[in-house]
Amino acid sequence: MVGRIALVLVCAVALEFLGNVALHRWQERELVPAEQVQRIATRLVEGERVALASIPRDRERLMHDLTGDGAALNWVPRTVITDFSPAFAQLSAMRARLVEAEPTLAKRELRLTLMPSTDAGARDLVGALRLADGSYISFRVSPYLGAPPHPATVVLLHMLLMATVLGIALLMIHRLVRPLRKLAEAADATGMRVAGVFEAEGPPEVQRVATAFAAMQTRLVKALEDQAHALVAVSHDLRTPIQRLRLRASMIADREAQDAIAADLSEMEHFIDATLDYVRSGEDEQARLIDLAALVATLADSAADMGDDIACHGPDECLVTARPLAIKRILGNLIDNARRHAGRIVVTLDDAEADYIVVTVEDDGPGIAAEQRAEALLPFRRLDSARGSRAGGAGLGLATALKTARAMGGDLVLEDSELGGLAVRLILPRAIAANPVTTAILPSFHHPQLT
């Protein structure tokens, strides 16, 4: 992993360096090819020979006859051209190229400078070769250099270079961390007792982690399945002795003792049902298209028929793709929880959002303090002090609702109610996946009676 990260950094630095070199050369590009340099040098030597072999009044005409290949020659008795080749790298390089083409020029006084060209965005090379009699052959090569680009263009090109290098580096890093992302997805799937499929690829360190995780995942999924099967089996097996105890209790002559035993047995059955609901969490049910508004209204009407003060608000129709029995269990738990702690209940269905819907169950009970709400969502937690001593229940209602909601890609949020009690918001996507991956895993817990 360290070596691959170092390789990404080296590649990014190398690309930035090469790009800067290319931009620098583009900014100071020369327009005179080597063949033309050779012809210019030869013409200067020939012009020197012709000028020294002729009288001064004919030299200007003879120099004009030698003009060609982009170089204009002229003879002048004296010149104001100043040599700037020591100060400019381009001019110094041009002098070296001329001397390389005609070594005899090395012993001559050769002045080189730059002047604006008649061509837009370019500069001409202007020079003067001093003859033995003190006169000069001047020449002009047009164009010689490209004009410096606008500063804004240079800044834009450098920003484009940095963006390109950064994009390439991000692609390399994305490919580098892809095995880790797949490993994380497989870890999330494990929370749903599903063994995620992934390949051990990437750096050696990641491959070793992936191999170890695959073995651990298999053991963990099997352990979760065994635990769930054992819990379901025990819960079902307990129903038989409960029914025998209920039958024997009915034979007790003491009516008060008979009612007390029957109440305890009913509480045990309720605890078993709550445990089974928590273990299943609706994962064995297929999603289908349902009218959530009708389901919510039916649950509210059923509670009202039992004498509860409950109101239902929302649209007449709300079509979603979901698991109806799972949602029914969630809302049933929430309404039942509100019935035990409050006198007035309001159920509201909100489908204003495009991607998800919200069902809110509010009550006017004592509520749950903000610092206790996270604990209230844990399994087997009964906050009797917060919700009254007559709470009852197995402490699995909110935990089961949360687990089932997250199994469908949703969530459960506890808030303060406008009625003065607790508001529980059930957030569900409009369409759930066939095999959703949980976004959070409930913390480990211990049954209070076993610790």
Side-chain angles (χ1 to χ4, degrees):
M1 178 70 77
V2 175
R4 297 195 180 194
I5 294 176
L7 179 61
V8 171
L9 295 177
V10 170
C11 290
V13 172
L15 287 174
E16 181 72 18
F17 174 76
L18 294 176
N20 282 320
V21 170
L23 285 176
H24 179 73
R25 296 192 64 178
W26 174 78
Q27 289 178 248
E28 299 182 351
R29 58 195 183 279
E30 287 187 321
L31 304 180
V32 180
E35 296 81 2
Q36 187 178 2
V37 172
Q38 177 66 53
R39 290 193 295 268
I40 293 172
T42 302
R43 193 149 301 179
L44 286 175
V45 174
E46 183 180 356
E48 179 185 22
R49 180 183 57 79
V50 171
L52 292 177
S54 61
I55 60 177
R57 69 170 178 267
D58 295 333
R59 290 178 179 178
E60 184 175 353
R61 176 180 57 80
L62 294 172
M63 292 304 105
H64 288 170
D65 294 340
L66 293 175
T67 296
D69 293 329
L73 273 65
N74 191 24
W75 175 87
V76 291
R78 62 186 60 86
T79 184
V80 295
I81 297 175
T82 304
D83 185 21
F84 284 96
S85 58
F88 291 94
Q90 297 94 336
L91 295 179
S92 179
M94 185 62 179
R95 175 189 289 276
R97 295 170 68 189
L98 289 171
V99 171
E100 182 181 1
E102 288 290 344
T104 57
L105 295 176
K107 301 177 181 180
R108 303 290 190 269
E109 180 183 343
L110 182 61
R111 303 179 184 182
L112 299 176
T113 188
L114 295 174
M115 293 185 64
S117 176
T118 55
D119 297 340
R123 291 171 290 175
D124 293 347
L125 172 66
V126 178
L129 177 64
R130 191 174 188 273
L131 304 179
D133 60 358
S135 61
Y136 293 87
I137 295 177
S138 64
F139 62 94
R140 183 167 187 154
V141 178
S142 178
Y144 169 61
L145 287 177
H150 193 277
T153 303
V154 177
V155 172
L156 181 62
L157 289 175
H158 278 281
M159 292 180 64
L160 182 61
L161 173 63
M162 289 189 293
T164 303
V165 173
L166 180 61
I168 294 175
L170 289 178
L171 288 176
M172 296 175 68
I173 292 175
H174 180 269
R175 184 175 181 84
L176 185 63
V177 301
R178 183 176 59 182
L180 294 177
R181 185 172 61 254
K182 291 183 177 180
L183 189 61
E185 293 173 354
D188 286 340
T190 305
M192 296 299 297
R193 298 194 297 273
V194 176
V197 180
F198 62 95
E199 297 180 359
E201 58 182 359
E205 298 91 336
V206 177
Q207 293 184 20
R208 288 197 295 269
V209 172
T211 302
F213 177 80
M216 181 197 69
Q217 184 188 55
T218 302
R219 294 193 298 268
L220 180 59
V221 170
K222 187 177 185 305
L224 289 173
E225 291 178 350
D226 292 344
Q227 183 184 29
H229 292 161
L231 188 57
V232 171
V234 170
S235 298
H236 281 291
D237 291 344
L238 283 176
R239 294 184 186 276
T240 300
I242 287 177
Q243 295 303 324
R244 288 201 299 265
L245 288 173
R246 192 184 299 278
L247 178 61
R248 292 173 183 175
S250 63
M251 300 178 182
I252 298 177
D254 189 344
R255 186 67 179 178
E256 183 176 353
Q258 183 182 119
D259 293 341
I261 294 174
D264 290 339
L265 294 176
S266 296
E267 185 175 351
M268 290 178 63
E269 285 186 326
H270 176 73
F271 183 88
I272 292 173
D273 292 337
T275 302
L276 291 176
D277 288 342
Y278 180 77
V279 172
R280 294 192 183 102
S281 299
E283 298 169 11
D284 54 347
E285 182 185 4
Q286 293 296 323
R288 58 186 177 89
L289 185 65
I290 63 171
D291 185 358
L292 185 59
L295 190 151
V296 172
T298 300
L299 291 174
D301 291 341
S302 298
D305 292 341
M306 297 176 63
D308 295 317
D309 182 5
I310 184 170
C312 181
H313 305 291
D316 295 332
E317 183 180 69
C318 180
L319 299 179
V320 297
T321 301
R323 298 168 178 162
L325 295 181
I327 295 179
K328 186 176 181 179
R329 278 197 292 265
I330 294 176
L331 295 178
N333 282 337
L334 298 182
I335 294 175
D336 185 61
N337 188 65
R339 290 172 55 195
R340 290 199 304 267
H341 303 95
R344 183 185 175 197
I345 307 170
V346 176
V347 181
T348 305
L349 173 62
D350 183 6
D351 65 343
E353 297 296 334
D355 299 327
Y356 59 90
I357 50 95
V358 180
V359 182
T360 305
V361 179
E362 300 181 77
D363 61 56
D364 61 350
I368 298 178
E371 62 273 9
Q372 290 184 305
R373 289 171 186 170
E375 182 181 0
L377 294 173
L378 299 177
F380 301 107
R381 300 298 175 91
R382 295 171 56 182
L383 306 180
D384 292 346
S385 59
R387 299 281 279 176
S389 58
R390 61 187 181 92
L396 283 172
L398 292 177
T400 301
L402 175 63
K403 184 180 178 183
T404 306
R406 286 180 173 174
M408 292 186 291
D411 204 354
L412 197 73
V413 181
L414 306 185
E415 299 177 349
D416 292 324
S417 169
E418 294 181 358
L419 302 179
L422 181 68
V424 184
R425 300 191 185 278
L426 172 63
I427 304 172
L428 292 173
R430 287 188 177 271
I432 70 172
N435 294 307
V437 177
T438 183
T439 57
I441 300 176
L442 292 175
S444 59
F445 62 90
H446 298 281
H447 194 291
Q449 298 179 357
L450 301 179
T451 58

